[in-house]
């Protein structure tokens, strides 16, 4: 159950767009359309932002979108706002009863 | 409004046991899979275990397999995690998380605030 690979940090200015990548293998990200993304502010519980690669729960702004190509999933945040500054984690189903494997997390800084 | 409230964490010595609980409200508990996810201090998220609505499907991360046991009581709207043979690597904030309709569709759409487990002599 190796962790998925995410960049340690990304940054952008208000109004810009950023993309956070999540790279796995054909046994997890590439094999299933069960990738989800979570936002976590310091000292707070994670919040689901995207699930099933590109679906958004109700209440999540449409500035947040997800996609997948091969073994790499992406979270795209457009129109960056200061409140988007947080840690972001991807998670994928990894088959059989492995269920969930997370990425190592990406710190988003809004400059 | 979905509410998940964890309890049972604390300081425990290596090799000992702890039982975590999660009280759920605001949704039909027996319609959903439930999971435990942990976060070591200053580290990332790690999925620990998941259980289907009827306890028919249970899964564990390799790191806890054979030591941890997940269970649920739908009549009490409660989720549990029995942790045996604790080690320092089990030190973490343990979150209870509401899943989808099946264990093998792992997304976590509601989270508790977590209960801290510290393993140290």
């Amino acid at each position: 159950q190796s962790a998925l690979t995410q960049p340690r940090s990304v940054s952008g200015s208000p109004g810009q767009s950023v993309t956070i990548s999540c790279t796995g293998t054909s046994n997890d990200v590439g094999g299933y359309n069960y990738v989800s993304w979570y936002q976590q502010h310091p000292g707070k519980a994670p919040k689901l932002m995207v699930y099933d690669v590109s679906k958004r729960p109700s209440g999540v702004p449409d500035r947040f979108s997800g996609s997948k190509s091969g073994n790499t999933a992406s979270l795209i945040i457009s129109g960056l706002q200061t409140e988007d500054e947080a840690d972001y984690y991807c998670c994928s189903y990894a088959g059989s009863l492995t269920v969930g494997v997370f990425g190592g997390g990406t710190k988003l800084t809004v400059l | 409004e979905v509410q998940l409230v964890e309890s049972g964490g604390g300081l425990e010595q290596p090799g000992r046991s702890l039982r975590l609980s999660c009280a759920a409200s605001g949704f039909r508990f027996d319609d959903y899979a439930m999971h435990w996810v942990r976060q070591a201090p200053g580290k990332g998220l790690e999925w620990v275990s998941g259980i289907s609505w009827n306890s028919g499907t249970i899964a564990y991360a390799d790191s806890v397999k054979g030591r941890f046991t997940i269970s649920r009581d739908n009549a009490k709207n409660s989720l549990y995690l029995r942790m045996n043979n604790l080690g320092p690597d089990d030190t973490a904030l343990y979150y209870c998380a509401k899943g989808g309709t099946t264990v093998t569709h792992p997304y976590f759409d509601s989270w508790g605030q977590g209960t801290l487990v510290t393993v140290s002599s």
Side-chain angles (χ1 to χ4, degrees), chain B:
Chain B
E1 179 194 4
V2 173
Q3 282 204 323
L4 300 169
V5 181
E6 303 94 337
S7 60
L11 174 63
E12 192 52 86
Q13 294 180 335
R16 302 292 293 266
S17 300
L18 271 177
R19 188 196 194 211
L20 306 184
S21 299
C22 171
S25 62
F27 66 103
R28 190 178 170 96
F29 184 69
D30 55 7
D31 272 353
Y32 295 95
M34 295 294 295
H35 300 265
W36 290 98
V37 177
R38 68 185 180 183
Q39 186 169 34
K43 302 296 185 182
L45 300 171
E46 179 187 16
W47 173 82
V48 173
S49 182
I51 185 169
S52 64
W53 68 274
N54 65 350
S55 306
T57 302
I58 287 175
Y60 300 98
D62 287 346
S63 57
V64 307
K65 203 171 293 183
R67 300 187 300 121
F68 289 13
T69 302
I70 191 172
S71 62
R72 66 190 293 163
D73 185 337
N74 288 343
K76 295 182 178 179
N77 287 351
S78 293
L79 176 72
Y80 307 101
L81 186 68
R82 176 70 178 182
M83 305 186 296
N84 293 333
N85 191 21
L86 286 164
D89 287 349
D90 296 319
T91 294
L93 186 64
Y94 283 73
Y95 291 105
C96 167
K98 172 178 169 286
T101 52
T102 67
V103 170
T104 52
H105 189 182
Y107 63 89
F108 317 111
D109 61 9
S110 295
W111 299 64
Q113 286 305 304
T115 186
L116 182 62
V117 172
T118 303
V119 183
S120 174
S121 54

